[in-house]
Amino acid sequence: MRLLLVEDDDRVAAAVSALLGKHGFDVRHARSGEEAIQALLPDGGPAFDCVLLDLGLPDQDGFEVCSRIRRRTATPVIMVTARADVRSRIHGLNLGADDYIVKPYDTGELLARIHAVSRRPPLNPTGLLPPGAPPGAVPAAQTALPAAQRTRLVLGPIAIELPTRRVTVDGDPIVLTRKEFDLLALLAGRPGVVFRREQIISEVWRTAWEGTGRTLEVHVASLRSKLRTPAMIETVRGVGYRLVVPSAG
């Protein structure tokens, strides 16, 4: 697995690279945001499977780097930072990050998250998005769904185009990250049905790892904000979540 590590501290980068190398990763180190962007440009070689992005970079904020990465490629991005506040987590996910891990972290946790975001359909040859694509968009070639799921869902003010992963609220398009869309599509497929947290984590993140629970909460909070109707995603205390379609009245 080929991985891009964006980290300005050479000592930290050397330690992480050595660790990941022992687990079979081919790691390339970028010391700045601009170096990371250049590394992601197609050069005829194999595409990166994941980007580990530190937010405290010397030339530009990591959030801006994430936004630029997402405009160029659908490669999974994991933000790795000491910023533990929920606002930073939500902001990072809104910009298109696939996951967010706080330093210091456990080695097993880092490896689990890398493998979790990498469990996805193969990238197209370049992994590039079309010009002008919004942050968080995913190339159509990478979002193929089984024929049975190629449908359109309309739930109150929300319309979900499953084949194109396009979502509108009251006719206005909204930008969702890959995991936000997968979460919404899962809940919207059976409105009113309560999905257990473990079930959601298994189906959306393709893992049974308990540490993903906090990531689920952050994605739910971000999705509620984007849908403009927070009450549509209802928390069932001690169980999980369900999507509630508002009444016409």
Side-chain angles (χ1 to χ4, degrees), residues 92-227:
L93 293 170
N94 283 342
L95 290 174
D98 292 82
D99 207 343
Y100 191 109
I101 185 169
V102 177
K103 299 177 181 178
Y105 50 78
D106 178 79
T107 299
E109 177 183 3
L110 176 64
L111 293 172
R113 288 179 183 258
I114 292 173
H115 286 298
V117 301
S118 300
R119 294 189 186 105
R120 57 185 297 175
L123 294 174
N124 60 33
T126 65
L128 294 178
L129 294 166
V138 179
Q142 300 175 32
T143 58
L145 293 171
Q149 298 182 31
R150 294 173 186 171
T151 57
R152 183 173 187 266
L153 302 176
V154 178
L155 304 163
I158 299 174
I160 306 169
E161 301 284 352
L162 292 175
T164 60
R165 300 176 74 92
R166 183 174 183 268
V167 178
T168 59
V169 177
D170 291 323
D172 299 327
I174 62 172
V175 178
L176 299 181
T177 67
R178 182 170 58 89
K179 292 301 184 187
E180 287 171 352
F181 180 89
D182 292 344
L183 173 58
L184 176 61
L186 176 65
L187 298 177
R190 300 175 67 188
V193 173
V194 178
F195 287 83
R196 301 187 314 278
R197 293 168 59 87
E198 296 84 356
Q199 180 182 1
I200 296 173
I201 290 171
S202 175
E203 295 195 27
V204 175
W205 277 267
R206 301 296 179 183
T207 179
W209 181 59
E210 296 180 358
T212 312
R214 182 56 180 162
T215 299
L216 170 59
E217 294 174 3
V218 174
H219 277 72
V220 168
S222 177
L223 191 54
R224 282 171 170 161
S225 174
K226 291 183 177 182
L227 295 180

Side-chain angles (χ1 to χ4, degrees), residues 56-129:
L57 300 173
D59 58 337
Q60 53 192 295
D61 187 82
F63 287 128
E64 173 60 25
V65 177
C66 179
S67 180
R68 293 180 64 191
I69 289 175
R70 193 48 76 230
R71 287 196 293 269
R72 291 175 177 268
T73 177
T75 303
V77 175
I78 300 177
M79 290 185 171
V80 184
T81 176
R83 304 180 197 178
D85 61 287
V86 174
R87 284 189 178 183
S88 292
R89 291 171 184 259
I90 292 176
H91 184 46
L93 293 170
N94 283 342
L95 290 174
D98 292 82
D99 207 343
Y100 191 109
I101 185 169
V102 177
K103 299 177 181 178
Y105 50 78
D106 178 79
T107 299
E109 177 183 3
L110 176 64
L111 293 172
R113 288 179 183 258
I114 292 173
H115 286 298
V117 301
S118 300
R119 294 189 186 105
R120 57 185 297 175
L123 294 174
N124 60 33
T126 65
L128 294 178
L129 294 166

